[in-house]
Amino acid sequence: NAGVTQTPKFQVLKTGQSMTLQCAQDMNHEYMSWYRQDPGMGLRLIHYSVGAGITDQGEVPNGYNVSRSTTEDFPLRLLSAAPSQTSVYFCASRSGSQNQPQHFGDGTRLSIL
Amino acid sequence: AQTVTQSQPEMSVQEAETVTLSCTYDTSESDYYLFWYKQPPSRQMILVIRQEAYKQQNATENRFSVNFQKAAKSFSLKISDSQLGDAAMYFCAYRSFYGGGSEKLVFGKGTKLTVNP
């Protein structure tokens, strides 16, 4: 039972490079989301999806794209990385039942030079 | 917009003793969910406990319990019989009950808990 799997765990990019952070879940959860965690702060929502083909913006969406072609996968794309995007990124999923909590992946630490 | 405040950046407790972490929140909604997540140095986000606002009874999970005061918008976490493995960052989080906001977790800035042997 893998839960929420994020790859890679660590990545270093140069400014202007592009990259896709992968997220997969095997719990058949309808809802998936991406958060970023900066030092001294809690997590902030970037984008989320309530089902395949449906995505919406969160609190800090600028500089990130998402798509949801399958229930299992929810990749996060950085089209042109900037130093301000240096952060730890978490993917989360939950079932459609209203009272269910989010389950988080182990995070990706991303550094942009 | 909802906000979550954790007023204690750091707390410490002796092993086997009890500690309470504070959390207050601001919302105009009547139905919502509250959560406490634990983040050890491994950086995993682990659900500790959750509370539905429409339930008056305080949630309990083994050594972890909450004191939910809806009118005061307060949601504190009590850890009894503290263990070394409880050392971590603890985040309080809010989630709306309805609509698009029902997917967004609003986090506090966290409380770093140290457990002394």
Side-chain angles (χ1 to χ4, degrees):
Chain A
N1 187 6
V4 180
T5 302
Q6 290 184 236
T7 55
K9 295 192 183 304
F10 302 93
Q11 184 69 49
V12 178
L13 291 179
K14 294 182 180 179
T15 298
Q17 286 184 318
S18 63
M19 166 156 200
T20 299
L21 306 185
Q22 302 290 345
C23 176
Q25 52 92 9
D26 62 358
M27 297 172 282
N28 201 32
H29 284 171
E30 294 94 328
Y31 290 69
M32 296 186 76
S33 50
W34 277 101
Y35 290 80
R36 61 178 286 174
Q37 183 180 26
D38 299 306
M41 301 183 69
L43 281 66
R44 292 182 293 167
L45 181 65
I46 304 172
H47 286 286
Y48 67 97
S49 168
V50 300
I54 306 170
T55 63
D56 205 347
Q57 296 181 351
E59 183 183 359
V60 287
N62 293 339
Y64 308 95
N65 282 348
V66 292
S67 60
R68 182 100 178 269
S69 57
T70 67
T71 300
E72 294 79 18
D73 300 299
F74 190 44
L76 178 72
R77 298 181 184 86
L78 286 71
L79 297 180
S80 179
S84 61
Q85 295 177 304
T86 293
S87 189
V88 179
Y89 292 85
F90 287 93
C91 180
S93 74
R94 72 174 181 94
S95 75
S97 298
Q98 192 61 271
N99 65 348
Q100 293 302 302
Q102 276 86 341
H103 299 267
F104 285 86
D106 289 345
T108 295
R109 180 175 294 279
L110 181 62
S111 296
I112 300 168
L113 307 177
Chain B
Q2 295 82 19
T3 58
V4 175
T5 301
Q6 294 178 248
S7 59
Q8 307 152 315
E10 296 187 24
M11 292 280 286
S12 63
V13 63
Q14 291 297 124
E15 195 175 3
E17 294 190 346
T18 296
V19 64
T20 298
L21 308 184
S22 300
C23 172
T24 59
Y25 57 94
D26 187 26
T27 184
S28 59
E29 299 173 334
S30 58
D31 291 325
Y32 47 86
Y33 300 98
L34 295 165
F35 305 88
W36 279 98
Y37 281 90
K38 169 185 177 182
Q39 188 177 42
S42 65
R43 85 169 175 233
Q44 292 175 299
M45 291 293 290
I46 302 166
L47 177 68
V48 175
I49 200 165
R50 61 179 168 173
Q51 175 80 41
E52 292 92 338
Y54 54 85
K55 290 186 178 179
Q56 292 186 339
Q57 186 173 5
N58 289 326
T60 299
E61 290 286 343
N62 300 314
R63 297 182 295 106
F64 299 89
S65 61
V66 298
N67 183 6
F68 172 51
Q69 301 290 327
K70 190 173 184 180
K73 296 179 182 176
S74 172
F75 183 60
S76 60
L77 174 69
K78 185 172 81 171
I79 306 174
S80 303
D81 186 25
S82 297
Q83 301 176 358
L84 295 178
D86 295 334
M89 283 291 289
Y90 286 81
F91 291 97
C92 178
Y94 171 104
R95 195 178 84 201
S96 296
F97 191 86
Y98 297 108
S102 68
E103 195 44 36
K104 176 182 175 181
L105 279 169
V106 179
F107 285 85
K109 293 185 177 181
T111 296
K112 182 179 181 181
L113 178 65
T114 301
V115 181
N116 300 309

